[in-house]
């Protein structure tokens, strides 16, 4: 059995179910309690779980992320939300120097079982300080796990696994996916971290992607199919740990790769993947790996300019044809 719900509702269900399952789970962040989150994900939680488990915080990311690290070290399981992933610079020390390193620096004696939820991405005309995709920023620091789902079913199953994980997990949610309505399984389920998913099987080229760009890749694949080009779409879902086996399997079948990401191209996670594939799978490649990413500019406020700033299906189609010399 299944039901059709939005991505935002799926995230809310995951939080609700985990709070019912484990009294050590609590949530906090700006406007999380009374307002129920700026995207209404936690609406009604304050009334059900009370102010000790649903906590509104001041506008102080360093403060409340630091508090989450301390709470996790003491055995609780905080789920803390940044209103936008752009604000990660405000909490850099507790996240990157504390949460990410504590297990290693204590010789495994202490863990930090916390989740940092962070809405990300462009398309809502939020301008340069509220529109970035910073996945490579998070992936750079050993000790953090990084998740970036696209579907409602994936978002729910992966968030439940993230909350149960004993290490810090950054859970990236594209803002324009919240309203997507899709089928999810009824009842209890989880999806393991570190497991990619083939969203479309193909033989001619592999598109590796994640988050919102999965849908653009699928749209591009449908366009290319009409021209006789069969594309495989591999949704990583989890960036750290990376499902390298899934990449090897797909590239060994298609022998051509493009990597699609909304993030700025310079210094991107797409660039890291491209280098790793070139280093380790060179003999499997029929052509160089190509990246299709956002432009190396600040995200514009202008709707016309913003829409040109990140990859669309037509950009992916052109990239596939370049790689295949079509």
């Amino acid at each position: 059995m299944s039901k059709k719900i939005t991505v935002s509702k799926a995230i809310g269900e995951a939080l609700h179910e985990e709070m019912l399952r484990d009294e050590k789970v609590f949530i906090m962040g700006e406007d999380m309690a009374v307002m129920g989150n700026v995207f209404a994900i936690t609406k009604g939680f304050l009334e059900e779980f009370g102010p000790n488990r649903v906590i509104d915080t001041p506008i102080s990311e360093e403060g409340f992320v630091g508090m989450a690290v301390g709470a996790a070290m003491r055995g609780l399981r905080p789920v803390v939300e940044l209103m936008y992933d752009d604000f990660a610079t405000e909490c850099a020390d507790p996240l990157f120097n504390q949460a990410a390193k504590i297990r290693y620096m204590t010789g495994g004696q202490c863990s930090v079982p916390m989740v940092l939820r962070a809405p990300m991405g462009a398309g809502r005309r939020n301008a340069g300080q509220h529109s970035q995709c910073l996945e490579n920023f998070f992936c750079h620091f050993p000790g953090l796990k990084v998740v970036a789902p696209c579907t409602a079913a994936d978002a729910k199953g992966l968030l439940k696994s993230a909350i149960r994980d004993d290490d810090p997990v950054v859970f990236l949610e594209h803002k324009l996916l919240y309203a997507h309505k899709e089928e999810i399984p009824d009842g209890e389920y989880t999806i393991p971290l570190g497991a990619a998913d083939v969203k479309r099987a193909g033989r001619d080229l592999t598109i590796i992607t994640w988050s919102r760009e999965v849908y653009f890749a699928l749209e591009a694949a449908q366009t290319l199919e009409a021209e006789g080009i069969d594309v495989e779409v591999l949704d990583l879902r989890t960036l750290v740990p990376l499902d390298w086996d899934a990449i090897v399997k797909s590239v060994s079948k298609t022998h051509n790769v493009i990597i699609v990401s909304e993030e700025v191209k310079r210094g991107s996670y797409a660039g890291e993947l491209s280098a790793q594939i070139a280093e380790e799978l060179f003999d499997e490649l029929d052509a160089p790996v190509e990246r299709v990413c956002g432009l190396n500019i600040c995200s514009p406020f202008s709707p016309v300019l913003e829409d040109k700033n990140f990859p669309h299906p037509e950009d992916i189609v052109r990239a596939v044809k370049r790689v295949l010399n079509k």
Side-chain angles (χ1 to χ4, degrees):
M1 297 291 291
S2 63
K3 58 185 177 182
K4 197 169 189 177
I5 63 173
T6 62
V7 171
S8 61
K9 177 66 174 174
I11 291 169
E13 282 194 3
L15 292 170
H16 187 264
E17 290 174 12
E18 291 305 297
M19 291 181 75
L20 288 175
R21 187 188 66 85
D22 185 352
E23 63 181 13
K24 294 180 180 179
V25 177
F26 72 96
I27 62 175
M28 66 176 173
E30 297 161 13
D31 295 327
M32 291 290 286
V34 176
M35 186 176 174
N37 172 268
V38 292
F39 298 101
I41 289 173
T42 56
K43 195 171 184 63
F45 279 43
L46 176 62
E47 291 76 12
E48 181 171 357
F49 295 106
N52 289 331
R53 298 184 67 196
V54 184
I55 303 171
D56 272 336
T57 67
I59 303 174
S60 176
E61 286 79 8
E62 183 176 16
F64 63 74
V65 172
M67 187 170 77
V69 174
M73 290 175 67
R74 295 297 296 166
L76 299 178
R77 291 187 176 270
V79 182
V80 59
E81 183 193 280
L82 297 181
M83 194 173 287
Y84 297 95
D85 78 332
D86 311 69
F87 302 161
T89 54
E90 298 293 328
C91 59
D93 184 70
L95 183 60
F96 302 133
N97 279 333
Q98 308 304 326
K101 296 177 172 64
I102 283 171
R103 179 185 284 278
Y104 174 77
M105 295 186 72
T106 63
Q109 296 179 80
C110 187
S111 61
V112 186
M114 63 173 278
V115 176
L116 181 78
R117 292 182 47 242
M120 70 171 183
R124 295 182 74 246
R125 320 317 181 197
N126 292 146
Q129 296 169 327
H130 300 78
S131 303
Q132 299 173 90
C133 288
L134 298 176
E135 48 264 57
N136 201 38
F137 189 39
F138 299 109
C139 291
H140 178 76
F141 293 90
L144 295 180
K145 297 179 180 180
V146 183
V147 181
C150 69
T151 69
D154 288 349
K156 181 176 180 180
L158 287 165
L159 182 53
K160 289 170 72 72
S161 292
I163 293 170
R164 299 179 191 187
D165 200 274
D166 287 333
D167 290 306
V169 179
V170 177
F171 197 88
L172 299 171
E173 305 161 8
H174 199 292
K175 298 186 287 287
L176 289 189
L177 292 179
Y178 282 141
H180 272 244
K181 184 174 283 191
E182 297 157 332
E183 296 286 336
I184 75 165
D186 272 332
E188 167 70 18
Y189 75 95
T190 61
I191 295 172
L193 304 185
D197 185 43
V198 177
K199 291 292 193 284
R200 183 188 190 278
R203 67 176 184 274
D204 295 328
L205 179 142
T206 299
I207 299 176
I208 300 173
T209 187
W210 55 91
S211 192
R212 187 190 180 206
E213 290 293 335
V214 171
Y215 291 103
F216 287 165
L218 290 170
E219 187 176 334
Q222 188 172 4
T223 300
L224 290 161
E225 184 179 27
E227 301 181 34
I229 300 172
D230 190 20
V231 169
E232 180 150 300
V233 178
L234 180 65
D235 176 10
L236 293 181
R237 300 196 296 192
T238 302
L239 307 184
V240 180
L242 176 66
D243 189 350
W244 181 246
D245 289 343
I247 292 175
V248 171
K249 181 178 180 180
S250 184
V251 174
S252 298
K253 177 174 65 171
T254 67
H255 306 290
N256 292 287
V257 184
I258 68 169
I259 303 168
V260 181
S261 169
E262 186 178 312
E263 60 188 330
V264 170
K265 189 173 188 178
R266 183 177 56 240
S268 63
Y269 187 72
E272 171 62 28
L273 284 178
S274 176
Q276 189 172 348
I277 291 168
E279 288 172 356
E280 300 189 32
L281 298 176
F282 182 81
D283 290 339
E284 294 290 349
L285 296 172
D286 289 342
V289 178
E290 180 158 339
R291 289 177 291 156
V292 184
C293 300
L295 302 178
N296 293 321
I297 63 173
C298 177
S299 184
F301 175 72
S302 160
V304 174
L305 294 178
E306 184 184 36
D307 287 344
K308 291 183 178 297
N309 191 38
F310 54 85
H312 290 270
E314 56 269 26
D315 302 309
I316 300 171
V317 168
R318 286 194 292 268
V320 169
K321 290 182 176 180
R322 281 196 300 270
V323 171
L324 297 177
N325 290 316
K326 297 291 187 180

